[in-house]
Amino acid sequence: MSIHPRAGIIGTGFMGAVHSRAIRRNGAVVSRVVGSTPESTRATAPSFDPEFSTETVWELIRADDVDVVHICTPNATHAGLARAALEAGKHVVCEKPLAVDAQEATELADLARSMGVVAAVPFVYRFYPSVRRARARIADGTSGRPYLMHGSYLQDWLAVPTDSDWRVDPERGGPSRAFADIGVHWCDLIEFVTGHRITRLSARTMIAIPERGGRRVTTEDAALLMFETDRGSAGTLTVSQVSVGRKNRLWFSIDAAAESMSFDQENPETLWVGGLDDNKVLTRGGADAYSVLPPGHPQGYQDCFDAFVADTYRAIGGTVPDGLPTFADGVRAAHLTEAVLTSARTEQWIDVSMRHNTIEKVATLR
Ligand code: SOE
């Protein structure tokens, strides 16, 4: 199939707009667009300038002029929409979380494999050139064995009691909010860069603002983790959506035998490298993987999305690029999310290693 498939977008909010820009920047067609409801479709879909007007989700999923479905709706609708699109034989890009429980996420990954279609999840921070550089330094042995991985993912868009969003409602967002929404990005990224897998974790969650819009809040504003990995490393993570002044500050440090490296998503053109004799800042070079602009012309979040969609569409064309985040990665994220909630409830360490073996099996069977 062409690497310019015809796309259908379900969901016309911020993520729908990000996906539509990435689709068009890759030379593909936005064939159909629907919102979460017929009313939102009529109100918002025309602004996406689709090829065809579409009344319902089902019309989009069944349309012969849609090859790949992008699901950009509230979390609790993801699994049902992904299942329907897969059963219709479509390739699927589903926003994280793939599903609000790990069993359903696993079933979707199995279904995608049995249907023989491409099924991807936008863990897009993998596509920063600086992140690929850090990954290469570990893979080629330059960094030495990672000892510690630590960092945070901090935002402040829910820092005020009057702030709210469908994510706060567990019926629409699922039982976890901060970790399921952004903590999974950090965990995916640290495992992607190091090649390690988190095998056990201890987590605490906290609700900083107990009431929003007159309703009691039951989903976490923040999560704090300690974890161990399958290759003898350990780490910590702080996730928060109430950290005033932090807009989208994903940051990690990997402290390895020969050097430490740190990356800051709010300053993504550089990678800090600390050595025993000197420290240096590596700035994105024009020849780096996923560099599309000359040095000094900063690349950012949308460029990562463009690269993710390009690689997804390459996979649809028959060549699966290294590092494409698929439904198997969505399954892992769902398992980590469940482990975080279980650990926070029981105050116990939770083993996630067995789940990983299952996930890897799913991933390799493809
Ligand atoms: C909101 O927290 C959000 O848009 C997340 O849903 C995205 O996954 C993240 O990349 C940016 O912040």
Side-chain angles (χ1 to χ4, degrees):
M1 176 178 290
S2 146
I3 62 168
H4 295 150
R6 296 160 299 180
I9 301 173
I10 306 175
T12 52
F14 161 66
M15 290 315 301
V18 170
H19 282 245
S20 70
R21 282 194 292 270
I23 292 162
R24 288 201 163 96
R25 288 180 180 187
N26 278 287
V29 167
V30 175
S31 185
R32 295 177 182 269
V33 176
V34 291
S36 300
T37 65
E39 295 73 27
S40 70
T41 297
R42 281 191 287 277
T44 56
S47 67
F48 285 68
D49 193 20
E51 297 283 300
F52 306 101
S53 70
T54 312
E55 283 295 314
T56 69
V57 164
W58 310 117
E59 185 185 353
L60 181 149
I61 285 175
R62 295 188 184 111
D64 291 338
D65 50 48
V66 169
D67 305 307
V68 53
V69 176
H70 290 246
I71 298 169
C72 307
T73 53
N75 297 349
T77 65
H78 289 178
L81 292 172
R83 181 180 305 286
L86 291 170
E87 288 171 347
K90 307 297 184 187
H91 303 284
V92 178
V93 175
C94 182
E95 269 296 332
K96 19 61 60 190
L98 175 56
V100 293
D101 82 68
Q103 179 54 38
E104 197 163 26
T106 304
E107 290 165 5
L108 289 169
D110 288 343
L111 177 59
R113 189 169 37 67
S114 66
M115 295 299 288
V117 294
V118 172
V121 177
F123 287 115
V124 294
Y125 298 115
R126 297 183 177 196
F127 292 87
Y128 275 117
S130 297
V131 166
R132 296 288 171 134
R133 214 164 179 177
R135 183 176 188 237
R137 292 179 75 93
I138 288 178
D140 70 15
T142 303
S143 304
R145 181 170 75 87
Y147 296 146
L148 299 174
M149 309 161 191
H150 53 99
S152 55
Y153 194 162
L154 309 175
Q155 299 175 331
D156 68 4
W157 65 281
L158 286 170
V160 174
T162 51
D163 291 334
S164 197
D165 178 83
W166 54 260
R167 290 176 180 80
V168 178
D169 175 2
E171 292 298 314
R172 302 188 70 201
S176 166
R177 173 167 31 100
F179 185 82
D181 188 21
I182 59 174
V184 293
H185 271 302
W186 191 94
C187 292
D188 173 77
L189 200 60
I190 211 75
E191 290 184 337
F192 177 70
V193 169
T194 63
H196 288 220
R197 284 287 179 269
I198 295 171
T199 51
R200 62 195 294 263
L201 62 85
S202 175
R204 297 298 178 268
T205 56
M206 65 93 74
I207 295 173
I209 300 173
E211 196 173 286
R212 294 179 190 266
R215 294 182 63 181
R216 186 171 70 84
V217 172
T218 59
T219 54
E220 78 279 8
D221 291 317
L224 301 106
L225 279 68
M226 284 192 297
F227 61 86
E228 294 170 356
T229 75
D230 57 345
R231 301 184 194 178
S233 300
T236 60
L237 169 62
T238 300
V239 179
S240 161
Q241 295 182 312
V242 292
S243 294
V244 175
R246 299 297 190 181
K247 302 310 175 189
N248 196 34
R249 210 273 188 153
L250 182 162
W251 181 89
F252 66 69
S253 180
I254 296 166
D255 305 352
E259 62 184 21
S260 297
M261 295 185 288
S262 74
F263 170 77
D264 177 355
Q265 196 284 144
E266 291 184 346
N267 180 22
E269 292 278 277
T270 62
L271 179 70
W272 178 86
V273 179
L276 284 173
D277 302 323
D278 67 344
N279 297 343
K280 53 193 173 214
V281 175
L282 303 182
T283 303
R284 177 180 62 83
D288 288 351
Y290 297 96
S291 243
V292 293
L293 296 171
H297 300 67
Q299 295 185 195
Y301 175 81
Q302 183 70 52
D303 297 294
C304 288
F305 241 99
D306 299 350
F308 160 73
V309 169
D311 275 10
T312 301
Y313 288 6
R314 274 195 197 94
I316 290 173
T319 307
V320 182
D322 170 46
L324 182 70
T326 68
F327 274 22
D329 301 299
V331 172
R332 181 173 44 71
H335 276 299
L336 289 174
T337 302
E338 283 188 354
V340 163
L341 292 183
T342 303
S343 179
R345 188 176 67 250
T346 63
E347 297 190 355
Q348 301 297 314
W349 279 84
I350 304 298
D351 189 311
V352 289
S353 55
M354 281 313 289
R355 295 169 177 174
H356 274 311
N357 299 339
T358 309
I359 295 160
E360 299 304 338
K361 201 182 299 176
V362 165
T364 52
L365 286 180
R366 207 180 344 273

